[in-house]
Amino acid sequence: MTRPSLARSADIDGFVIGECVHHGGMATLWSVTHPGITAPLLMKVPLVAEGEDPAAIVSFEMEQMILPRLSGPHVPTCFGTGDFERQAYVVIERIPGKTLYSRLGELPLAYEEARVVAGKIASALADLHRQNVIHHDIKPSSIMFRESGEAVLIDFGLSHHNQLPDLLQEEFRLPYGTAPYMAPERLLGVRDDPRSDLFSLGVLLYFFTTGARPFGETETLRGMRRRLWRDPHPPRKLRGDYPPWLQEIVLRCLEIEPAWRYPTASQLAFDLGHPDQVKLTARSERMRRDPLSTVWRRRFDRGLTEPKPKVDLAAQLASCPIVAVALDIGEGSETLNEALRVTAQRILATLPSARLACLNVLKLGRVTIDRTLDEQGHNKHIDRLVALQHWASALQLDQSRLTVHVLEAIDPAAAILEFAAVNHVDHIIIGARQNSLVRSLLGSVSAKVAAEAVCSVTVVRPPRTAALREPGDKDGKVEEAVKVQAARP
């Protein structure tokens, strides 16, 4: 079959070729148009000439398989693919602007700006991982931003899809990726662990806040293998004003063993979104690398240097959800809050890596001027934070798994829904009071949350009194009814 020409004005399956906008090491990018598509488009074409790296062809096959399956604001929309028999290509939307690589001349960035940038990337990774894909090439040149602010991940040639054949794993033995950003387990052939992307993001955040790469610029395989046992210099050694909460996040991402990192991108994004609630450990205070005795112990620890068992991506994400419990701490709420505690305890008992966010909404008036102090002169916001911490103390959770939040809003349900969406909450637990005339006319907060949330919702009612209990009821210390909404797709 005759191959179509990659020349200006040529037609390939209805796509009209424009100018070549980029010539990379594994593919070229062309601007294209299509009479039925108004969005600006790019056509990516692999390099297949004599002497080209065969990995370029295999990685392009991976991109052809993966891109059409992805959706959402954090990936470019795919409009078409072509096979190798005639002309291999992928047509995607053209994201306006430049990649994050264009900002390298500005490093180091201000800590707050770097936090916001990294938070957006972590949110994009959380969305990608929920679609069964691990990127495996997170670096500045693989990240763009939409005009609306969302991070967009590009270049999926090295990616792993949990439900598709991994051609790179099957056909090559050497790890492919960008050396300074590659996770240690990748050197052992592990490609199915989503925490590898979190390591790469940790490298990027370290680089963007210190101006130095944590493992240098080396690209030799021997040099890269040192990261299996050698930790980087703590950022605070490079910059004396480095925030402890930020070092805690960065060094946790850069842990050698994946199990020591954040379990999910959602939990990493949560900490980046709430730096004041990051639980500080010894990581945050470190000024030196690990002593040589620790390094040598790692060097000969076969558990760290041998390949790891296969990771089930879906199971990994499901075992580490973010759970939010919405509490009313006003008078008369004690019974309902005890039922909420029992429900939360049951859920968290089966999910030892779950995070719990305790919420309360300080309702604001629509037309009145709200006072920050109550009649006794106490700060309302602080009192509610203390009440939430007191409620959660009975759960006896490790402090790294718990945060408390007082939201100030006119519409409590809308505030809870917004918190859940912004913070990638997987499950909301909320109480429902007994019926009243006001709730009948205006609708309840719990009903609105259950109807509109994009995650699972458990609605808990207070227990019945002894007189109203039916045969088979227990002692009334648990919820009367539970309603579960479909989980996030």
Side-chain angles (χ1 to χ4, degrees), residues 40 72 75 86 93 95 101 108 112 115 189 218 313 328 350 482:
V75 295
R86 184 165 180 264
E93 68 170 309
I95 310 293
Y101 185 85
E112 176 62 17
R115 177 191 71 81
T218 179
L313 176 54
D328 180 357
T350 62
V482 175

Side-chain angles (χ1 to χ4, degrees), residues 117-434:
V117 168
K120 291 179 178 180
I121 300 169
S123 293
L125 284 173
D127 185 50
L128 185 70
H129 293 168
R130 282 194 293 268
Q131 298 185 64
N132 296 297
V133 176
I134 304 166
H135 192 279
H136 280 321
D137 202 20
I138 294 299
K139 58 184 179 181
S141 58
S142 298
I143 299 161
M144 303 184 73
F145 292 90
R146 295 191 185 276
E147 294 178 349
S148 53
E150 297 98 338
V152 182
L153 307 176
I154 60 176
D155 295 337
F156 291 86
L158 302 182
S159 298
H160 168 89
H161 194 294
N162 197 45
Q163 298 171 349
L164 294 174
D166 192 333
L167 302 182
L168 284 169
Q169 180 93 342
E170 294 172 359
E171 299 184 28
F172 300 96
R173 292 295 171 261
L174 291 176
Y176 279 87
T178 305
Y181 297 89
M182 193 178 294
E185 64 273 11
R186 292 283 312 285
L187 303 172
L188 304 175
V190 176
R191 283 180 46 82
D192 55 8
D193 196 325
R195 294 167 293 191
S196 297
D197 281 344
L198 307 190
F199 183 94
S200 301
L201 180 51
V203 173
L204 189 149
L205 186 54
Y206 185 111
F207 183 30
F208 271 55
T209 52
T210 66
R213 289 191 173 91
F215 303 100
E217 305 289 340
T218 179
E219 293 191 3
T220 66
L221 188 59
R222 181 178 179 182
M224 291 165 60
R225 286 187 66 85
R226 290 195 189 100
R227 68 191 63 173
L228 285 165
W229 53 81
R230 195 51 163 133
D231 59 318
H233 290 288
R236 292 183 67 190
K237 181 178 181 180
L238 306 182
R239 298 189 68 182
D241 65 340
Y242 206 85
W245 64 264
L246 186 54
Q247 176 158 299
E248 178 73 31
I249 291 174
V250 169
L251 292 186
R252 185 173 179 185
C253 289
L254 294 180
E255 289 283 6
I256 295 170
E257 177 62 50
W260 301 339
R261 301 174 202 152
Y262 283 93
T264 66
S266 293
Q267 291 201 20
L268 170 56
F270 192 97
D271 268 5
L272 287 165
H274 304 277
D276 58 318
Q277 298 216 39
V278 173
K279 299 304 183 290
L280 303 182
T281 68
R283 293 189 194 97
S284 67
E285 302 174 357
R286 291 179 57 188
M287 297 294 291
R288 298 183 180 86
R289 294 199 289 181
D290 288 331
L292 288 178
S293 57
T294 301
V295 174
W296 280 104
R297 189 163 56 250
R298 288 197 196 112
R299 175 69 179 85
F300 296 103
D301 182 352
R302 297 182 64 85
L304 283 176
T305 57
E306 286 188 342
K308 304 295 187 293
K310 183 176 176 60
V311 176
D312 186 316
L313 176 54
Q316 166 73 13
L317 298 182
S319 67
C320 310
I322 296 175
V323 179
V325 57
L327 297 161
D328 180 357
I329 57 176
E331 289 187 15
S333 60
E334 295 82 4
T335 303
L336 177 56
N337 286 346
E338 177 60 27
L340 286 166
R341 185 185 289 112
V342 171
T343 302
Q345 225 161 11
R346 287 175 175 172
I347 293 172
L348 295 172
T350 62
L351 300 166
S353 295
R355 289 280 295 265
L356 180 67
C358 302
L359 314 179
N360 175 258
V361 181
L362 179 57
K363 196 173 186 304
L364 303 178
R366 292 185 181 275
V367 294
T368 59
I369 298 176
D370 295 285
R371 299 175 59 87
T372 57
L373 304 181
D374 61 19
E375 295 177 355
Q376 289 74 41
H378 300 152
N379 185 289
K380 298 177 185 177
H381 195 108
I382 293 176
D383 282 352
R384 291 178 183 228
L385 284 176
V386 172
L388 290 175
Q389 291 169 342
H390 177 73
W391 178 90
S393 63
L395 298 174
Q396 298 183 328
L397 291 177
D398 184 281
Q399 287 300 302
S400 63
R401 299 177 59 196
L402 175 69
T403 55
V404 294
H405 311 264
V406 175
L407 314 177
E408 299 189 8
I410 293 173
D411 184 342
I416 294 169
L417 290 167
E418 181 183 12
F419 181 93
V422 170
N423 293 286
H424 311 284
V425 170
D426 300 284
H427 193 152
I428 300 172
I429 306 171
I430 188 169
R433 289 181 176 275
Q434 298 296 335

